[in-house]
Short mmCIF file of all heavy atoms in Angstrom, two decimals:
data_model
loop_
_atom_site.label_atom_id
_atom_site.label_comp_id
_atom_site.label_asym_id
_atom_site.label_seq_id
_atom_site.Cartn_x
_atom_site.Cartn_y
_atom_site.Cartn_z
N ALA P 807 0.84 -1.19 0.00
CA ALA P 807 0.00 0.00 0.00
C ALA P 807 0.87 1.24 0.00
O ALA P 807 1.92 1.27 0.64
CB ALA P 807 -0.92 -0.01 1.21
N LEU P 808 0.41 2.24 -0.69
CA LEU P 808 1.15 3.50 -0.73
C LEU P 808 0.87 4.36 0.49
O LEU P 808 1.71 5.11 0.93
CB LEU P 808 0.81 4.27 -2.00
CG LEU P 808 1.17 3.57 -3.31
CD1 LEU P 808 0.69 4.37 -4.49
CD2 LEU P 808 2.66 3.34 -3.39
N ARG P 809 -0.37 4.23 1.02
CA ARG P 809 -0.72 4.98 2.22
C ARG P 809 -1.89 4.30 2.89
O ARG P 809 -2.61 3.51 2.28
CB ARG P 809 -1.05 6.43 1.90
CG ARG P 809 -2.33 6.63 1.12
CD ARG P 809 -2.59 8.12 0.88
NE ARG P 809 -3.87 8.35 0.28
CZ ARG P 809 -5.01 8.50 0.94
NH1 ARG P 809 -5.03 8.46 2.25
NH2 ARG P 809 -6.14 8.70 0.31
N ASN P 810 -2.09 4.61 4.16
CA ASN P 810 -3.21 4.04 4.90
C ASN P 810 -4.50 4.75 4.53
O ASN P 810 -4.48 5.94 4.21
CB ASN P 810 -2.96 4.15 6.41
CG ASN P 810 -1.80 3.29 6.86
OD1 ASN P 810 -1.55 2.24 6.29
ND2 ASN P 810 -1.09 3.74 7.86
N VAL P 811 -5.61 4.05 4.62
CA VAL P 811 -6.92 4.63 4.35
C VAL P 811 -7.69 4.64 5.65
O VAL P 811 -7.76 3.64 6.36
CB VAL P 811 -7.68 3.81 3.28
CG1 VAL P 811 -9.05 4.39 3.04
CG2 VAL P 811 -6.88 3.74 1.99
N MET P 812 -8.28 5.77 5.96
CA MET P 812 -9.05 5.92 7.20
C MET P 812 -10.45 5.33 7.01
O MET P 812 -10.98 5.30 5.89
CB MET P 812 -9.17 7.41 7.58
CG MET P 812 -7.83 8.11 7.77
SD MET P 812 -6.82 7.41 9.07
CE MET P 812 -7.78 7.85 10.49
N ALA P 813 -11.05 4.90 8.12
CA ALA P 813 -12.42 4.41 8.08
C ALA P 813 -13.33 5.51 7.55
O ALA P 813 -13.15 6.68 7.87
CB ALA P 813 -12.87 3.99 9.48
N ASP P 814 -14.28 5.17 6.71
CA ASP P 814 -15.24 6.10 6.10
C ASP P 814 -14.60 7.06 5.10
O ASP P 814 -15.26 7.99 4.64
CB ASP P 814 -16.00 6.91 7.16
CG ASP P 814 -16.84 6.02 8.06
OD1 ASP P 814 -17.36 5.01 7.55
OD2 ASP P 814 -16.95 6.33 9.25
N GLU P 815 -13.34 6.87 4.75
CA GLU P 815 -12.69 7.73 3.75
C GLU P 815 -13.12 7.26 2.35
O GLU P 815 -13.19 6.07 2.06
CB GLU P 815 -11.17 7.63 3.86
CG GLU P 815 -10.42 8.48 2.85
CD GLU P 815 -8.90 8.36 3.00
OE1 GLU P 815 -8.43 7.73 3.95
OE2 GLU P 815 -8.22 8.92 2.14
N VAL P 816 -13.44 8.21 1.49
CA VAL P 816 -13.81 7.90 0.12
C VAL P 816 -12.54 7.66 -0.68
O VAL P 816 -11.63 8.48 -0.67
CB VAL P 816 -14.63 9.06 -0.51
CG1 VAL P 816 -14.92 8.76 -1.97
CG2 VAL P 816 -15.92 9.27 0.27
N VAL P 817 -12.48 6.52 -1.35
CA VAL P 817 -11.33 6.19 -2.19
C VAL P 817 -11.73 6.44 -3.63
O VAL P 817 -12.66 5.82 -4.15
CB VAL P 817 -10.90 4.72 -1.99
CG1 VAL P 817 -9.72 4.39 -2.88
CG2 VAL P 817 -10.57 4.46 -0.53
N THR P 818 -11.05 7.36 -4.27
CA THR P 818 -11.35 7.69 -5.66
C THR P 818 -10.59 6.78 -6.61
O THR P 818 -9.61 6.15 -6.23
CB THR P 818 -10.98 9.15 -5.97
OG1 THR P 818 -9.57 9.29 -5.84
CG2 THR P 818 -11.69 10.11 -5.03
N ARG P 819 -11.04 6.73 -7.83
CA ARG P 819 -10.37 5.94 -8.86
C ARG P 819 -8.91 6.39 -9.04
O ARG P 819 -8.03 5.58 -9.27
CB ARG P 819 -11.12 6.07 -10.18
CG ARG P 819 -10.52 5.26 -11.30
CD ARG P 819 -11.40 5.36 -12.50
NE ARG P 819 -12.52 4.47 -12.33
CZ ARG P 819 -12.87 3.56 -13.21
NH1 ARG P 819 -12.23 3.46 -14.33
NH2 ARG P 819 -13.88 2.77 -12.99
N MET P 820 -8.66 7.67 -8.90
CA MET P 820 -7.30 8.19 -9.05
C MET P 820 -6.38 7.66 -7.96
O MET P 820 -5.18 7.57 -8.16
CB MET P 820 -7.31 9.73 -9.03
CG MET P 820 -8.01 10.36 -10.22
SD MET P 820 -7.16 10.05 -11.77
CE MET P 820 -5.72 11.06 -11.51
N ALA P 821 -6.92 7.34 -6.79
CA ALA P 821 -6.11 6.87 -5.67
C ALA P 821 -5.71 5.40 -5.83
O ALA P 821 -4.81 4.94 -5.16
CB ALA P 821 -6.86 7.07 -4.36
N LEU P 822 -6.40 4.69 -6.70
CA LEU P 822 -6.10 3.28 -6.91
C LEU P 822 -5.03 3.11 -7.97
O LEU P 822 -4.98 3.83 -8.95
CB LEU P 822 -7.36 2.53 -7.36
CG LEU P 822 -8.54 2.55 -6.40
CD1 LEU P 822 -9.73 1.86 -7.05
CD2 LEU P 822 -8.18 1.89 -5.09
N SER P 823 -4.17 2.15 -7.75
CA SER P 823 -3.19 1.83 -8.78
C SER P 823 -3.36 0.37 -9.15
O SER P 823 -3.58 -0.48 -8.30
CB SER P 823 -1.77 2.10 -8.31
OG SER P 823 -1.42 1.22 -7.26
N ILE P 824 -3.29 0.09 -10.42
CA ILE P 824 -3.46 -1.27 -10.92
C ILE P 824 -2.08 -1.82 -11.27
O ILE P 824 -1.33 -1.18 -12.01
CB ILE P 824 -4.38 -1.30 -12.14
CG1 ILE P 824 -5.76 -0.78 -11.76
CG2 ILE P 824 -4.46 -2.70 -12.72
CD1 ILE P 824 -6.69 -0.58 -12.93
N ARG P 825 -1.76 -2.98 -10.72
CA ARG P 825 -0.45 -3.58 -10.96
C ARG P 825 -0.45 -4.28 -12.32
O ARG P 825 -1.20 -5.24 -12.51
CB ARG P 825 -0.12 -4.57 -9.86
CG ARG P 825 1.22 -5.21 -10.05
CD ARG P 825 1.59 -6.03 -8.85
NE ARG P 825 2.85 -6.68 -9.14
CZ ARG P 825 3.03 -7.98 -9.13
NH1 ARG P 825 2.04 -8.78 -8.82
NH2 ARG P 825 4.20 -8.50 -9.40
N LEU P 826 0.37 -3.79 -13.22
CA LEU P 826 0.48 -4.43 -14.53
C LEU P 826 1.38 -5.65 -14.40
O LEU P 826 2.47 -5.57 -13.84
CB LEU P 826 1.04 -3.45 -15.56
CG LEU P 826 0.15 -2.27 -15.90
CD1 LEU P 826 0.88 -1.33 -16.85
CD2 LEU P 826 -1.16 -2.74 -16.51
N MET P 827 0.91 -6.77 -14.89
CA MET P 827 1.70 -8.01 -14.85
C MET P 827 2.45 -8.24 -16.15
O MET P 827 3.38 -9.03 -16.20
CB MET P 827 0.79 -9.19 -14.56
CG MET P 827 0.18 -9.14 -13.19
SD MET P 827 -0.77 -10.64 -12.89
CE MET P 827 -0.78 -10.66 -11.13
N VAL P 828 2.01 -7.55 -17.21
CA VAL P 828 2.67 -7.64 -18.51
C VAL P 828 2.76 -6.24 -19.07
O VAL P 828 1.79 -5.50 -19.06
CB VAL P 828 1.87 -8.55 -19.48
CG1 VAL P 828 2.45 -8.51 -20.87
CG2 VAL P 828 1.81 -9.98 -18.97
N GLN P 829 3.94 -5.88 -19.54
CA GLN P 829 4.14 -4.58 -20.19
C GLN P 829 4.29 -4.80 -21.69
O GLN P 829 4.84 -5.81 -22.12
CB GLN P 829 5.44 -3.93 -19.66
CG GLN P 829 5.43 -3.59 -18.20
CD GLN P 829 4.73 -2.26 -17.92
OE1 GLN P 829 4.48 -1.48 -18.82
NE2 GLN P 829 4.42 -2.04 -16.67
N SER P 830 3.81 -3.85 -22.47
CA SER P 830 3.98 -3.92 -23.91
C SER P 830 5.47 -4.07 -24.22
O SER P 830 6.30 -3.36 -23.66
CB SER P 830 3.43 -2.65 -24.56
OG SER P 830 3.57 -2.71 -25.95
N GLY P 831 5.80 -5.03 -25.09
CA GLY P 831 7.19 -5.28 -25.44
C GLY P 831 7.83 -6.41 -24.66
O GLY P 831 8.89 -6.91 -25.04
N ASP P 832 7.20 -6.85 -23.56
CA ASP P 832 7.72 -7.98 -22.77
C ASP P 832 7.63 -9.27 -23.57
O ASP P 832 6.69 -9.49 -24.33
CB ASP P 832 6.89 -8.19 -21.50
CG ASP P 832 7.15 -7.18 -20.41
OD1 ASP P 832 8.06 -6.34 -20.57
OD2 ASP P 832 6.44 -7.24 -19.39
N ILE P 833 8.59 -10.16 -23.34
CA ILE P 833 8.49 -11.52 -23.84
C ILE P 833 7.74 -12.30 -22.77
O ILE P 833 8.12 -12.29 -21.60
CB ILE P 833 9.87 -12.12 -24.11
CG1 ILE P 833 10.56 -11.34 -25.23
CG2 ILE P 833 9.76 -13.61 -24.47
CD1 ILE P 833 11.98 -11.75 -25.51
N VAL P 834 6.64 -12.93 -23.18
CA VAL P 834 5.78 -13.63 -22.22
C VAL P 834 5.69 -15.11 -22.57
O VAL P 834 5.86 -15.51 -23.73
CB VAL P 834 4.36 -13.02 -22.19
CG1 VAL P 834 4.40 -11.60 -21.66
CG2 VAL P 834 3.69 -13.06 -23.55
N ALA P 835 5.41 -15.92 -21.55
CA ALA P 835 5.15 -17.34 -21.75
C ALA P 835 3.68 -17.48 -22.14
O ALA P 835 2.81 -16.94 -21.48
CB ALA P 835 5.43 -18.12 -20.47
N VAL P 836 3.43 -18.20 -23.23
CA VAL P 836 2.08 -18.37 -23.75
C VAL P 836 1.68 -19.83 -23.63
O VAL P 836 2.48 -20.73 -23.93
CB VAL P 836 1.99 -17.96 -25.25
CG1 VAL P 836 0.60 -18.17 -25.78
CG2 VAL P 836 2.44 -16.55 -25.44
N ARG P 837 0.45 -20.04 -23.20
CA ARG P 837 -0.09 -21.40 -23.10
C ARG P 837 -1.41 -21.44 -23.86
O ARG P 837 -2.26 -20.57 -23.67
CB ARG P 837 -0.30 -21.76 -21.64
CG ARG P 837 -0.86 -23.13 -21.44
CD ARG P 837 -1.05 -23.38 -19.96
NE ARG P 837 -0.76 -24.79 -19.75
CZ ARG P 837 -0.55 -25.34 -18.60
NH1 ARG P 837 -0.57 -24.62 -17.51
NH2 ARG P 837 -0.33 -26.62 -18.51
N ALA P 838 -1.57 -22.45 -24.71
CA ALA P 838 -2.81 -22.64 -25.45
C ALA P 838 -3.26 -24.07 -25.25
O ALA P 838 -2.45 -25.00 -25.33
CB ALA P 838 -2.61 -22.35 -26.93
N ALA P 839 -4.56 -24.26 -24.98
CA ALA P 839 -5.09 -25.60 -24.76
C ALA P 839 -6.36 -25.78 -25.58
O ALA P 839 -7.21 -24.89 -25.62
CB ALA P 839 -5.38 -25.83 -23.29
N ALA P 840 -6.47 -26.94 -26.23
CA ALA P 840 -7.67 -27.26 -27.00
C ALA P 840 -7.75 -28.77 -27.17
O ALA P 840 -6.74 -29.42 -27.48
CB ALA P 840 -7.63 -26.57 -28.36
N ASP P 841 -8.93 -29.32 -26.96
CA ASP P 841 -9.17 -30.75 -27.16
C ASP P 841 -8.16 -31.63 -26.42
O ASP P 841 -7.67 -32.62 -26.97
CB ASP P 841 -9.18 -31.09 -28.65
CG ASP P 841 -10.27 -30.34 -29.40
OD1 ASP P 841 -11.34 -30.12 -28.81
OD2 ASP P 841 -10.03 -29.98 -30.57
N GLY P 842 -7.80 -31.25 -25.20
CA GLY P 842 -6.89 -32.05 -24.39
C GLY P 842 -5.42 -31.90 -24.73
O GLY P 842 -4.57 -32.56 -24.16
N VAL P 843 -5.10 -31.04 -25.67
CA VAL P 843 -3.70 -30.80 -26.06
C VAL P 843 -3.28 -29.42 -25.58
O VAL P 843 -4.01 -28.43 -25.79
CB VAL P 843 -3.53 -30.88 -27.60
CG1 VAL P 843 -2.10 -30.56 -28.00
CG2 VAL P 843 -3.95 -32.25 -28.11
N THR P 844 -2.13 -29.34 -24.92
CA THR P 844 -1.61 -28.06 -24.44
C THR P 844 -0.29 -27.76 -25.13
O THR P 844 0.58 -28.62 -25.22
CB THR P 844 -1.40 -28.10 -22.91
OG1 THR P 844 -2.64 -28.39 -22.28
CG2 THR P 844 -0.87 -26.78 -22.40
N VAL P 845 -0.17 -26.54 -25.63
CA VAL P 845 1.05 -26.09 -26.30
C VAL P 845 1.56 -24.85 -25.57
O VAL P 845 0.77 -23.98 -25.19
CB VAL P 845 0.77 -25.74 -27.78
CG1 VAL P 845 2.01 -25.23 -28.47
CG2 VAL P 845 0.20 -26.94 -28.51
N GLU P 846 2.88 -24.79 -25.36
CA GLU P 846 3.47 -23.63 -24.70
C GLU P 846 4.55 -23.04 -25.59
O GLU P 846 5.20 -23.75 -26.34
CB GLU P 846 4.05 -24.02 -23.35
CG GLU P 846 2.98 -24.48 -22.36
CD GLU P 846 3.55 -24.87 -21.01
OE1 GLU P 846 4.78 -24.96 -20.87
OE2 GLU P 846 2.75 -25.09 -20.09
N GLY P 847 4.71 -21.73 -25.50
CA GLY P 847 5.73 -21.06 -26.29
C GLY P 847 5.96 -19.66 -25.75
O GLY P 847 5.58 -19.35 -24.62
N GLN P 848 6.59 -18.84 -26.58
CA GLN P 848 6.85 -17.45 -26.20
C GLN P 848 6.27 -16.51 -27.22
O GLN P 848 6.15 -16.84 -28.40
CB GLN P 848 8.36 -17.19 -26.08
CG GLN P 848 9.00 -17.88 -24.91
CD GLN P 848 10.45 -17.47 -24.76
OE1 GLN P 848 11.11 -17.14 -25.73
NE2 GLN P 848 10.93 -17.48 -23.53
N ALA P 849 5.92 -15.32 -26.74
CA ALA P 849 5.39 -14.29 -27.62
C ALA P 849 5.81 -12.93 -27.08
O ALA P 849 6.30 -12.82 -25.95
CB ALA P 849 3.86 -14.37 -27.69
N VAL P 850 5.61 -11.92 -27.89
CA VAL P 850 5.90 -10.55 -27.49
C VAL P 850 4.58 -9.83 -27.25
O VAL P 850 3.70 -9.83 -28.13
CB VAL P 850 6.72 -9.80 -28.57
CG1 VAL P 850 6.98 -8.37 -28.16
CG2 VAL P 850 8.02 -10.54 -28.85
N ALA P 851 4.42 -9.26 -26.06
CA ALA P 851 3.19 -8.55 -25.73
C ALA P 851 3.11 -7.27 -26.55
O ALA P 851 4.06 -6.50 -26.62
CB ALA P 851 3.16 -8.21 -24.24
N GLN P 852 1.96 -7.05 -27.17
CA GLN P 852 1.72 -5.83 -27.93
C GLN P 852 0.97 -4.80 -27.10
O GLN P 852 0.84 -3.65 -27.51
CB GLN P 852 0.92 -6.15 -29.20
CG GLN P 852 1.63 -7.12 -30.12
CD GLN P 852 2.93 -6.56 -30.63
OE1 GLN P 852 2.96 -5.54 -31.30
NE2 GLN P 852 4.04 -7.22 -30.30
N GLN P 853 0.45 -5.24 -25.95
CA GLN P 853 -0.28 -4.37 -25.03
C GLN P 853 0.13 -4.71 -23.61
O GLN P 853 0.58 -5.82 -23.34
CB GLN P 853 -1.79 -4.58 -25.18
CG GLN P 853 -2.33 -4.25 -26.54
CD GLN P 853 -3.78 -4.67 -26.68
OE1 GLN P 853 -4.09 -5.84 -26.62
NE2 GLN P 853 -4.67 -3.69 -26.84
N SER P 854 -0.06 -3.77 -22.71
CA SER P 854 0.16 -4.00 -21.28
C SER P 854 -1.14 -4.50 -20.67
O SER P 854 -2.22 -4.22 -21.18
CB SER P 854 0.59 -2.71 -20.59
OG SER P 854 1.80 -2.23 -21.12
N GLY P 855 -1.04 -5.25 -19.55
CA GLY P 855 -2.25 -5.71 -18.90
C GLY P 855 -2.00 -6.20 -17.49
O GLY P 855 -0.89 -6.57 -17.13
N SER P 856 -3.08 -6.20 -16.71
CA SER P 856 -3.05 -6.75 -15.36
C SER P 856 -3.80 -8.07 -15.38
O SER P 856 -4.37 -8.46 -16.40
CB SER P 856 -3.65 -5.77 -14.36
OG SER P 856 -4.96 -5.42 -14.74
N GLN P 857 -3.82 -8.78 -14.25
CA GLN P 857 -4.44 -10.09 -14.20
C GLN P 857 -5.89 -10.05 -14.69
O GLN P 857 -6.66 -9.19 -14.28
CB GLN P 857 -4.39 -10.67 -12.79
CG GLN P 857 -4.86 -12.09 -12.75
CD GLN P 857 -4.50 -12.78 -11.45
OE1 GLN P 857 -4.09 -12.16 -10.50
NE2 GLN P 857 -4.65 -14.08 -11.43
N GLY P 858 -6.21 -10.96 -15.60
CA GLY P 858 -7.56 -11.06 -16.15
C GLY P 858 -7.79 -10.27 -17.42
O GLY P 858 -8.76 -10.51 -18.13
N ASP P 859 -6.90 -9.32 -17.72
CA ASP P 859 -7.05 -8.52 -18.95
C ASP P 859 -6.78 -9.38 -20.18
O ASP P 859 -5.91 -10.26 -20.15
CB ASP P 859 -6.08 -7.34 -18.96
CG ASP P 859 -6.44 -6.25 -17.99
OD1 ASP P 859 -7.58 -6.25 -17.47
OD2 ASP P 859 -5.58 -5.38 -17.74
N VAL P 860 -7.49 -9.11 -21.26
CA VAL P 860 -7.22 -9.76 -22.54
C VAL P 860 -6.38 -8.80 -23.37
O VAL P 860 -6.77 -7.65 -23.57
CB VAL P 860 -8.53 -10.13 -23.27
CG1 VAL P 860 -8.23 -10.69 -24.66
CG2 VAL P 860 -9.33 -11.13 -22.45
N ILE P 861 -5.20 -9.28 -23.79
CA ILE P 861 -4.27 -8.44 -24.54
C ILE P 861 -3.86 -9.15 -25.82
O ILE P 861 -4.08 -10.36 -25.98
CB ILE P 861 -3.01 -8.10 -23.71
CG1 ILE P 861 -2.21 -9.37 -23.37
CG2 ILE P 861 -3.38 -7.31 -22.46
CD1 ILE P 861 -0.84 -9.10 -22.76
N ARG P 862 -3.23 -8.42 -26.71
CA ARG P 862 -2.73 -8.98 -27.97
C ARG P 862 -1.26 -9.30 -27.79
O ARG P 862 -0.49 -8.49 -27.29
CB ARG P 862 -2.93 -7.95 -29.08
CG ARG P 862 -2.53 -8.43 -30.44
CD ARG P 862 -2.90 -7.36 -31.49
NE ARG P 862 -2.44 -7.75 -32.79
CZ ARG P 862 -1.33 -7.29 -33.36
NH1 ARG P 862 -0.59 -6.40 -32.75
NH2 ARG P 862 -0.98 -7.70 -34.56
N VAL P 863 -0.87 -10.51 -28.21
CA VAL P 863 0.53 -10.91 -28.22
C VAL P 863 0.86 -11.45 -29.61
O VAL P 863 -0.04 -11.86 -30.35
CB VAL P 863 0.85 -11.98 -27.14
CG1 VAL P 863 0.57 -11.43 -25.74
CG2 VAL P 863 0.10 -13.27 -27.38
N VAL P 864 2.13 -11.43 -29.96
CA VAL P 864 2.56 -11.94 -31.27
C VAL P 864 3.58 -13.05 -31.05
O VAL P 864 4.59 -12.85 -30.37
CB VAL P 864 3.16 -10.81 -32.14
CG1 VAL P 864 3.73 -11.36 -33.44
CG2 VAL P 864 2.11 -9.75 -32.44
N ASN P 865 3.30 -14.23 -31.63
CA ASN P 865 4.20 -15.37 -31.55
C ASN P 865 5.55 -14.98 -32.15
O ASN P 865 5.60 -14.45 -33.26
CB ASN P 865 3.59 -16.56 -32.29
CG ASN P 865 4.45 -17.78 -32.23
OD1 ASN P 865 5.53 -17.83 -32.80
ND2 ASN P 865 3.96 -18.80 -31.55
N LYS P 866 6.63 -15.27 -31.43
CA LYS P 866 7.97 -14.88 -31.88
C LYS P 866 8.38 -15.59 -33.17
O LYS P 866 9.08 -15.01 -33.99
CB LYS P 866 9.00 -15.15 -30.80
CG LYS P 866 8.92 -14.21 -29.62
CD LYS P 866 9.97 -14.53 -28.58
CE LYS P 866 11.33 -14.27 -29.16
NZ LYS P 866 12.42 -14.48 -28.21
N ASP P 867 7.97 -16.84 -33.33
CA ASP P 867 8.40 -17.61 -34.49
C ASP P 867 7.51 -17.41 -35.71
O ASP P 867 7.99 -17.11 -36.79
CB ASP P 867 8.47 -19.10 -34.14
CG ASP P 867 9.48 -19.38 -33.04
OD1 ASP P 867 10.55 -18.74 -33.04
OD2 ASP P 867 9.20 -20.22 -32.18
N SER P 868 6.21 -17.55 -35.52
CA SER P 868 5.29 -17.48 -36.66
C SER P 868 4.82 -16.06 -36.96
O SER P 868 4.24 -15.82 -38.00
CB SER P 868 4.06 -18.35 -36.40
OG SER P 868 3.27 -17.78 -35.36
N ARG P 869 5.03 -15.16 -36.01
CA ARG P 869 4.56 -13.76 -36.10
C ARG P 869 3.04 -13.66 -36.15
O ARG P 869 2.48 -12.66 -36.58
CB ARG P 869 5.20 -13.04 -37.28
CG ARG P 869 6.70 -12.96 -37.15
CD ARG P 869 7.32 -12.17 -38.25
NE ARG P 869 8.77 -12.29 -38.13
CZ ARG P 869 9.61 -11.48 -38.70
NH1 ARG P 869 9.16 -10.51 -39.45
NH2 ARG P 869 10.89 -11.63 -38.54
N ARG P 870 2.38 -14.69 -35.68
CA ARG P 870 0.92 -14.72 -35.63
C ARG P 870 0.42 -13.97 -34.39
O ARG P 870 0.94 -14.17 -33.30
CB ARG P 870 0.44 -16.16 -35.59
CG ARG P 870 -1.04 -16.32 -35.57
CD ARG P 870 -1.42 -17.78 -35.61
NE ARG P 870 -2.86 -17.89 -35.42
CZ ARG P 870 -3.46 -18.94 -34.94
NH1 ARG P 870 -2.75 -19.99 -34.61
NH2 ARG P 870 -4.75 -18.96 -34.79
N ALA P 871 -0.58 -13.13 -34.58
CA ALA P 871 -1.17 -12.40 -33.46
C ALA P 871 -2.17 -13.29 -32.74
O ALA P 871 -2.94 -14.01 -33.37
CB ALA P 871 -1.87 -11.13 -33.96
N LEU P 872 -2.13 -13.25 -31.41
CA LEU P 872 -3.02 -14.06 -30.59
C LEU P 872 -3.68 -13.19 -29.53
O LEU P 872 -3.05 -12.32 -28.95
CB LEU P 872 -2.23 -15.16 -29.88
CG LEU P 872 -1.40 -16.09 -30.75
CD1 LEU P 872 -0.42 -16.89 -29.90
CD2 LEU P 872 -2.31 -17.02 -31.53
N LYS P 873 -4.95 -13.48 -29.26
CA LYS P 873 -5.67 -12.80 -28.19
C LYS P 873 -5.48 -13.66 -26.94
O LYS P 873 -5.82 -14.85 -26.94
CB LYS P 873 -7.14 -12.67 -28.56
CG LYS P 873 -7.92 -11.78 -27.65
CD LYS P 873 -9.26 -11.35 -28.22
CE LYS P 873 -10.13 -12.51 -28.61
NZ LYS P 873 -11.52 -12.14 -28.87
N SER P 874 -4.91 -13.07 -25.88
CA SER P 874 -4.55 -13.85 -24.70
C SER P 874 -4.95 -13.15 -23.42
O SER P 874 -4.94 -11.92 -23.34
CB SER P 874 -3.04 -14.10 -24.67
OG SER P 874 -2.62 -14.74 -25.85
N ARG P 875 -5.26 -13.94 -22.38
CA ARG P 875 -5.62 -13.42 -21.06
C ARG P 875 -4.40 -13.49 -20.14
O ARG P 875 -3.74 -14.52 -20.07
CB ARG P 875 -6.76 -14.24 -20.46
CG ARG P 875 -7.26 -13.71 -19.13
CD ARG P 875 -8.47 -14.47 -18.61
NE ARG P 875 -9.45 -14.79 -19.62
CZ ARG P 875 -10.38 -13.94 -20.09
NH1 ARG P 875 -10.43 -12.71 -19.63
NH2 ARG P 875 -11.24 -14.33 -21.01
N VAL P 876 -4.13 -12.40 -19.44
CA VAL P 876 -3.01 -12.35 -18.49
C VAL P 876 -3.40 -13.18 -17.27
O VAL P 876 -4.44 -12.95 -16.65
CB VAL P 876 -2.70 -10.89 -18.08
CG1 VAL P 876 -1.58 -10.85 -17.05
CG2 VAL P 876 -2.35 -10.04 -19.30
N VAL P 877 -2.54 -14.18 -16.92
CA VAL P 877 -2.85 -15.05 -15.79
C VAL P 877 -1.85 -14.91 -14.64
O VAL P 877 -2.16 -15.29 -13.51
CB VAL P 877 -2.93 -16.53 -16.23
CG1 VAL P 877 -4.10 -16.74 -17.17
CG2 VAL P 877 -1.64 -17.00 -16.86
N ALA P 878 -0.67 -14.37 -14.91
CA ALA P 878 0.36 -14.19 -13.89
C ALA P 878 1.41 -13.25 -14.48
O ALA P 878 1.41 -12.98 -15.69
CB ALA P 878 0.98 -15.53 -13.53
N PRO P 879 2.33 -12.77 -13.66
CA PRO P 879 3.39 -11.92 -14.21
C PRO P 879 4.16 -12.66 -15.32
O PRO P 879 4.67 -13.75 -15.11
CB PRO P 879 4.30 -11.64 -13.00
CG PRO P 879 3.38 -11.76 -11.83
CD PRO P 879 2.43 -12.88 -12.19
N GLY P 880 4.15 -12.09 -16.52
CA GLY P 880 4.87 -12.67 -17.65
C GLY P 880 4.24 -13.91 -18.26
O GLY P 880 4.86 -14.58 -19.08
N LYS P 881 2.98 -14.22 -17.88
CA LYS P 881 2.31 -15.41 -18.41
C LYS P 881 0.92 -15.09 -18.92
O LYS P 881 0.17 -14.37 -18.26
CB LYS P 881 2.21 -16.49 -17.32
CG LYS P 881 3.56 -17.00 -16.86
CD LYS P 881 3.41 -18.09 -15.85
CE LYS P 881 4.79 -18.58 -15.42
NZ LYS P 881 4.70 -19.69 -14.48
N VAL P 882 0.59 -15.66 -20.09
CA VAL P 882 -0.74 -15.47 -20.68
C VAL P 882 -1.26 -16.80 -21.19
O VAL P 882 -0.50 -17.73 -21.45
CB VAL P 882 -0.71 -14.43 -21.83
CG1 VAL P 882 -0.26 -13.07 -21.35
CG2 VAL P 882 0.16 -14.90 -22.99
N GLU P 883 -2.60 -16.88 -21.33
CA GLU P 883 -3.24 -18.03 -21.93
C GLU P 883 -4.07 -17.56 -23.11
O GLU P 883 -4.79 -16.58 -23.02
CB GLU P 883 -4.16 -18.74 -20.92
CG GLU P 883 -3.40 -19.45 -19.84
CD GLU P 883 -4.30 -20.19 -18.87
OE1 GLU P 883 -5.53 -19.98 -18.90
OE2 GLU P 883 -3.76 -20.97 -18.08
N VAL P 884 -3.96 -18.28 -24.22
CA VAL P 884 -4.70 -17.93 -25.43
C VAL P 884 -6.19 -18.13 -25.17
O VAL P 884 -6.60 -19.14 -24.59
CB VAL P 884 -4.24 -18.77 -26.62
CG1 VAL P 884 -5.09 -18.49 -27.85
CG2 VAL P 884 -2.76 -18.51 -26.92
N VAL P 885 -6.99 -17.15 -25.58
CA VAL P 885 -8.45 -17.29 -25.48
C VAL P 885 -8.98 -17.67 -26.84
O VAL P 885 -8.49 -17.22 -27.87
CB VAL P 885 -9.13 -15.99 -24.95
CG1 VAL P 885 -8.75 -15.74 -23.51
CG2 VAL P 885 -8.81 -14.80 -25.80
N GLN P 886 -9.98 -18.54 -26.86
CA GLN P 886 -10.52 -19.06 -28.12
C GLN P 886 -11.39 -18.03 -28.80
O GLN P 886 -12.11 -17.30 -28.26
CB GLN P 886 -11.34 -20.31 -27.84
CG GLN P 886 -10.57 -21.37 -27.13
CD GLN P 886 -9.50 -22.03 -27.99
OE1 GLN P 886 -9.63 -22.12 -29.19
NE2 GLN P 886 -8.43 -22.49 -27.36
#
C-alpha cells in the first residue's frame, strides 16, 4: 500500500493503482489448450495488462497475433 486509508474515507479511482503483470514489449510465456492438447511457447506482448485482462501478443516464431488473457506476471493463456 502506498498509504493508509481511514475508516469512512472515500477512495477515488485516481487513488487506486493497478499492478500491470505484462508490459507492452515484454516476452511472455504463452499457453494454449484445445481438445486435451496443451502447447506452450513465447510471444511478445503488444499491449500491457493486469491479471484477467485480454491483450494482444505476437508469436515470436510465426509472427501470428493471438488474443490472450493475463494469468500471472509474464504469463498469458490464449483465449478461443
Side-chain angles (χ1 to χ4, degrees):
L808 298 176
R809 69 179 187 87
N810 293 328
V811 178
M812 302 299 292
D814 297 326
E815 180 180 353
V816 176
V817 179
T818 64
R819 182 175 281 232
M820 294 294 290
L822 300 176
S823 66
I824 298 172
R825 181 172 176 238
L826 294 175
M827 294 185 158
V828 173
Q829 296 277 346
S830 181
D832 285 355
I833 296 175
V834 295
V836 179
R837 179 180 215 166
D841 300 326
V843 177
T844 301
V845 178
E846 295 180 351
Q848 291 186 330
V850 178
Q852 300 298 298
Q853 298 172 296
S854 299
S856 56
Q857 187 166 12
D859 288 346
V860 175
I861 63 170
R862 183 174 176 260
V863 299
V864 175
N865 181 292
K866 288 180 65 177
D867 298 322
S868 69
R869 298 185 187 198
R870 181 177 173 206
L872 304 166
K873 190 164 56 166
S874 304
R875 184 175 318 280
V876 178
V877 295
K881 296 183 179 183
V882 299
E883 290 182 348
V884 175
V885 293
Q886 304 289 331

